[in-house]
């Protein structure tokens, strides 16, 4: 039972990071209909930028964290301006290919600047674990889940109540009608890329603190994709549920199946579950049928 | 009475090759209701989109002529700046934001406004015009009936506090009782809110009753214009746009010529 609870906790922690990163991915899809294959690389860049500020510039972590968020917003803006905006009006498939190119460019940039070796954050969070009943949680896990939930909450409020958030949902519903309201598509698109980069970076910073930092953090995007698809690709609550589910499935299969099959099941099981769920609900748990036609 | 909107001799091309408007001109005097009538495909919607700058999102372009609003040329402005200037288009087919609630749709209509305090007051004004929307204000707009969606589309336009409202076929697909209701509200909006209206309609009969001045389009240009009183009594208009005639039988050739127009009578 304790083992199960322990798995549950780590599943929720990693799942909340998946959910956060998936939110960015879903947002881009909702607003621009682009599937962003560089979402995992955004996360990787965030982890490296914060690490560089902490380890190389010796900045206090929370300052580095804030600066990483600012840099991420800047990079999101830059990418939208230089790569995506010139592609406006081009076929979506061309833009999707562009995001695949973008993911390679970001990976190369990281390799050139920081090299291929594993790096690690200095110890930032106390290593004294916290006991919640019989479950033991390391502090970095608590901070991760706390920040993931905080950002998920903030963005949920932002989309629901703010003028800009409503404009983003309006664009997702009907671009031309949104234009006729005086909504600037360029601004909304730019905002979507900024938020996507921002949430990915936040996820990257905490994931980097939990594990080591290397280029394979980019493969994280491969996990965010099933999380988003599971939730329905265009649903933000779906992204949250999808992320948590994938995190939990991973943790449980890692804990119970890996000893039986000799490891690796947590890489495979989430995809198997994804396929099964999509067979039952082709548009994901929360997806709208219409969106699948695009 | 000053001219608020002046469209002079515009030419509009879609996809760089499809010529849709040619020498299209019209004027909308401040404070009035002007109606733009014509057969399917005459170019009415295109004219409205040229004014509101929505053309560009359909790969359309004004290749000649000018559009003036309150004395300034607005041909090359972005849609958001057109809305800022005070022109708001209610698009054909309602185009409400289906996944947003009724109130959220209204708030999006006020997207460019910065006077937050007045917005709640204006939502209330919209609900006074359309009490049915008040009852459903928390409902997802996609679940509204067609008539309610049209009300929401007009209410959303009111939220922008425009000077000029471009209405594209507000009666489309509505039962005749509801059409009357919508038209009455259009008149009240014009009278009480002081909003100038350019109304595109299939229902020529009603449009010529509520408007002060009318234009009739064919093949991308105006073929007939006049105040509505005159247009209503014009024998051609009577026969082909209002669906009754006090003239004798037409020659076959003439009938044939008008067949295309007849399709949208009734
Ligand atoms: N995006 C577009 N690309 C190419 N051609 C178009 C486009 N939109 C409209 N057209 C063409 O322009 C012509 C005028 O269309 P428009 O929609 O302005 O007519 P309308 O008078 O509003 O007709 P209706 O009464 O059916 O709404 C039509 O022949 C139409 O096929
Ligand atoms: Mg039309």
């Amino acid at each position: 039972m304790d083992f199960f609870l322990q798995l549950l906790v780590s599943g929720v922690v990693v799942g909340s990071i998946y959910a956060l990163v998936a939110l960015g991915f879903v947002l881009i899809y909702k607003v621009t209909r682009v599937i962003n294959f560089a979402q995992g690389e955004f996360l990787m860049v965030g982890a490296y930028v914060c690490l560089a500020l902490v380890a190389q510039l010796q900045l206090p972590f929370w300052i580095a964290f804030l600066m990483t968020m600012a840099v991420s917003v800047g990079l999101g803006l830059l990418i939208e301006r230089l790569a995506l905006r010139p592609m406006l009006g081009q076929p979506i498939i061309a833009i999707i290919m562009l995001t695949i190119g973008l993911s390679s460019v970001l990976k190369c940039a990281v390799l050139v600047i920081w090299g291929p070796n594993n790096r690690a954050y200095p110890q930032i969070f106390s290593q004294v674990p916290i006991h919640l009943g019989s479950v033991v949680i390391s502090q970095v896990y608590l901070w991760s889940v706390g920040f993931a939930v905080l950002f998920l909450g903030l963005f949920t409020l932002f989309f629901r109540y703010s003028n800009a958030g409503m404009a983003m949902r309006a664009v997702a519903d009907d671009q031309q009608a949104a234009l006729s309201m005086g909504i600037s598509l360029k601004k909304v698109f730019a905002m979507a890329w900024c938020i996507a980069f921002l949430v990915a970076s936040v996820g990257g910073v905490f994931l980097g603190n939990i594990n080591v930092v290397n280029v394979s953090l980019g493969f994280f995007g491969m996990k965010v994709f099933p999380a988003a698809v599971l939730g329905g690709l265009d649903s933000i609550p779906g992204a949250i549920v999808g992320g948590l589910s994938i995190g939990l499935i991973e943790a449980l299969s890692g804990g119970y199946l890996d000893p039986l099959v000799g490891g690796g099941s947590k890489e495979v099981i989430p995809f198997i579950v994804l396929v099964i769920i999509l067979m039952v609900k082709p548009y994901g748990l929360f997806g709208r049928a219409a969106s699948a036609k695009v | 009475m000053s001219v608020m909107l002046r469209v002079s001799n515009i030419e509009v091309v879609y996809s760089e090759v499809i010529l849709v408007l040619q020498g299209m001109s019209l004027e909308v005097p401040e404070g009035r209701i002007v109606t733009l009538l014509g057969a399917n495909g005459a170019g009415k919607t295109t004219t409205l989109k040229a004014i509101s700058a929505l053309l560009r999102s359909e790969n359309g372009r004004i290749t000649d002529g000018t559009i003036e609003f309150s004395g300034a040329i607005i041909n090359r402005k972005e849609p958001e700046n057109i809305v800022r200037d005070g022109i708001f288009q209610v698009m054909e087919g309602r185009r409400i934001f289906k996944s947003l609630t009724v109130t959220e749709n209204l708030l999006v209509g006020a997207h460019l406004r910065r006077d937050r305090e007045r917005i709640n007051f204006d939502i209330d004004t919209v609900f006074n015009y359309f009490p049915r929307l008040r009852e459903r204000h928390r409902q997802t707009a996609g679940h509204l009936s067609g008539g309610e969606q049209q009300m929401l589309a007009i209410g959303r336009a009111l939220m922008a506090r425009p000077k000029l409202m471009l209405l594209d076929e507000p009666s489309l697909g509505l039962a005749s009782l509801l059409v009357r209701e919508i038209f009455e509200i259009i008149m009240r909006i014009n009278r009480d809110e002081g909003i100038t209206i350019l109304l595109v309609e299939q229902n020529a009969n009603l449009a010529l009753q509520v408007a002060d001045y009318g234009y009739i389009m064919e093949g991308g240009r105006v073929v007939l214009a006049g105040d509505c009183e005159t247009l209503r009594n014009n024998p051609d208009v009577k026969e082909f746009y209002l669906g009754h005639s006090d003239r004798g039988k037409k020659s076959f050739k003439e009938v044939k010529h008008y067949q295309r127009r007849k399709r949208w009578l009734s």
Side-chain angles (χ1 to χ4, degrees):
Chain A
M1 190 63 197
D2 286 357
F3 180 59
F4 175 73
L5 285 177
Q6 202 69 49
L7 290 176
L8 226 52
V9 166
S10 65
V12 167
V13 171
V14 177
S16 67
I17 298 181
Y18 288 152
L20 186 60
V21 183
L23 174 134
F25 181 89
V26 165
L27 183 63
I28 288 181
Y29 180 75
K30 257 178 97 76
V31 170
T32 69
R33 297 287 145 191
V34 171
I35 292 177
N36 176 26
F37 281 103
Q39 189 71 10
E41 278 68 27
F42 289 1
L43 175 148
M44 169 194 74
V45 169
Y48 270 101
V49 167
C50 189
L51 177 61
L53 295 172
V54 171
Q56 289 169 275
L57 297 185
Q58 304 282 324
L59 292 173
F61 174 72
W62 294 111
I63 296 197
F65 183 55
L66 284 178
M67 285 175 69
T68 303
M69 288 177 20
V71 169
S72 305
V73 169
L75 285 173
L77 219 52
L78 203 69
I79 287 172
E80 195 277 333
R81 197 62 248 250
L82 297 182
L84 280 313
R85 193 166 308 172
M87 298 289 286
L88 269 186
Q90 302 297 318
I92 288 289
I93 187 70
I95 305 180
I96 291 172
M97 296 309 285
L98 183 126
T99 69
I100 295 176
L102 185 65
S103 73
S104 305
V105 169
L106 291 175
K107 225 175 271 172
C108 290
V110 163
L111 281 172
V112 167
I113 300 174
W114 288 289
N117 295 334
N118 282 353
R119 287 158 172 268
Y121 275 83
Q123 191 207 320
I124 288 159
F125 303 99
S126 159
Q127 282 183 326
V128 182
I130 305 233
H131 293 264
L132 291 175
S134 60
V135 180
V136 184
I137 310 175
S138 66
Q139 295 205 11
V140 62
Y141 268 34
L142 274 183
W143 282 102
S144 301
V145 89
F147 266 88
V149 169
L150 175 72
F151 275 84
L152 287 171
L154 285 178
F155 279 111
T156 304
L157 292 177
F158 171 79
F159 295 129
R160 182 130 306 271
Y161 296 113
S162 77
N163 198 11
M166 253 182 276
M168 294 183 97
R169 285 190 288 143
V171 170
D173 261 13
D174 187 336
Q175 281 192 5
Q176 201 183 30
L179 267 181
S180 80
M181 303 289 117
I183 293 170
S184 161
L185 284 187
K186 286 175 196 158
K187 279 189 200 151
V188 165
F189 287 4
M191 207 164 5
W193 286 92
C194 285
I195 293 173
F197 210 124
L198 175 74
V199 291
S201 281
V202 171
V205 168
F206 284 101
L207 216 62
N209 271 288
I210 292 174
N211 296 315
V212 290
V213 177
N214 59 34
V215 184
S216 68
L217 272 180
F219 290 125
F220 203 84
M222 290 298 288
K223 294 285 174 46
V224 169
F225 190 65
V229 173
L230 184 62
L233 212 53
D234 69 346
S235 160
I236 290 191
I240 297 174
V241 173
L244 286 173
S245 312
I246 297 286
L248 283 170
I249 294 166
E250 229 182 60
L252 293 175
S253 58
Y256 289 116
L257 290 181
D258 272 7
L260 302 179
V261 298
S265 67
K266 72 184 234 181
E267 311 299 325
V268 183
I269 299 292
F271 285 94
I272 294 176
V273 172
L274 176 69
V275 168
I276 293 170
I277 289 187
L278 288 185
M279 285 196 298
V280 183
K281 296 203 73 172
Y283 304 109
L285 295 174
F286 291 77
R288 279 186 295 169
S291 67
K293 275 188 267 168
V294 177
Chain B
M1 180 174 66
S2 63
V3 175
M4 179 180 254
L5 177 80
R6 179 179 282 125
V7 176
S8 320
N9 264 311
I10 58 166
E11 181 180 282
V12 167
V13 176
Y14 283 112
S15 312
E16 302 300 326
V17 285
I18 309 166
L19 180 64
V20 172
L21 298 188
Q22 213 177 1
M24 172 65 197
S25 298
L26 63 79
E27 283 181 5
V28 182
E30 188 166 351
R32 297 304 168 94
I33 301 181
V34 172
T35 185
L36 182 59
L37 308 171
N40 287 122
K44 307 179 296 292
T45 299
T46 303
T47 306
L48 295 191
K49 284 183 177 159
I51 299 166
S52 62
L54 291 179
L55 265 189
R56 257 164 284 166
S57 64
E58 293 185 6
N59 205 6
R61 207 157 61 84
I62 302 173
T63 46
D64 199 12
T66 56
I67 300 174
E68 277 171 77
F69 181 67
S70 304
I73 292 183
I74 58 166
N75 296 22
R76 307 219 170 284
K77 288 197 174 181
E78 294 285 323
E80 67 214 74
N81 291 324
I82 301 282
V83 175
R84 258 194 205 101
D85 283 355
I87 301 179
F88 200 99
Q89 178 172 357
V90 179
M91 291 168 73
E92 190 175 337
R94 301 153 201 153
R95 305 291 286 268
I96 47 118
F97 301 113
K98 290 197 170 64
S99 71
L100 274 59
T101 65
V102 167
T103 304
E104 284 172 344
N105 266 277
L106 296 178
L107 288 170
V108 173
H111 178 73
L112 287 177
R113 284 173 57 184
R114 289 294 164 259
D115 51 340
R116 290 270 131 210
E117 332 70 65
R118 279 201 56 96
I119 286 178
N120 281 334
F121 177 83
D122 288 344
I123 288 184
D124 207 55
T125 310
V126 170
F127 287 159
N128 288 339
Y129 277 111
F130 304 107
R132 272 197 261 177
L133 294 183
R134 191 196 303 277
E135 289 163 29
R136 291 165 176 69
H137 73 282
R138 302 179 67 156
Q139 199 168 312
T140 307
H143 297 151
L144 297 178
S145 74
E148 289 158 357
Q149 292 190 3
Q150 187 61 60
M151 294 173 188
L152 183 57
I154 295 174
R156 188 173 64 175
L158 276 173
M159 290 303 296
R161 298 196 139 264
K163 300 187 185 107
L164 171 65
M165 207 185 273
L166 312 174
L167 288 168
D168 199 350
E169 298 196 22
S171 73
L172 192 73
L174 302 186
S176 59
L177 210 63
L178 206 56
V179 172
R180 291 208 164 265
E181 192 181 328
I182 297 265
F183 270 68
E184 254 153 44
I185 284 169
I186 292 171
M187 288 170 79
R188 270 172 63 198
I189 287 172
N190 170 254
R191 184 162 23 91
D192 302 347
E193 311 291 323
I195 296 174
T196 308
I197 287 171
L198 176 55
L199 171 69
V200 163
E201 252 306 326
Q202 296 279 354
N203 192 330
N205 217 334
L206 262 179
L208 287 175
Q209 278 172 42
V210 302
D212 303 297
Y213 203 84
Y215 290 88
I216 293 176
M217 273 188 96
E218 220 181 278
R221 57 156 58 86
V222 169
V223 290
L224 197 61
D227 55 71
C228 291
E229 180 73 41
T230 318
L231 285 180
R232 275 201 301 271
N233 294 320
N234 178 304
D236 275 344
V237 175
K238 264 191 182 163
E239 177 159 9
F240 304 112
Y241 294 83
L242 301 179
H244 50 80
S245 167
D246 44 22
R247 274 201 288 185
K249 269 197 166 172
K250 292 228 141 205
S251 75
F252 178 72
K253 199 176 155 207
E254 276 170 304
V255 170
K256 182 119 182 140
H257 173 69
Y258 281 114
Q259 243 170 19
R260 195 168 60 93
R261 282 207 251 164
K262 272 202 163 175
R263 248 180 274 139
W264 62 277
L265 286 176
S266 75

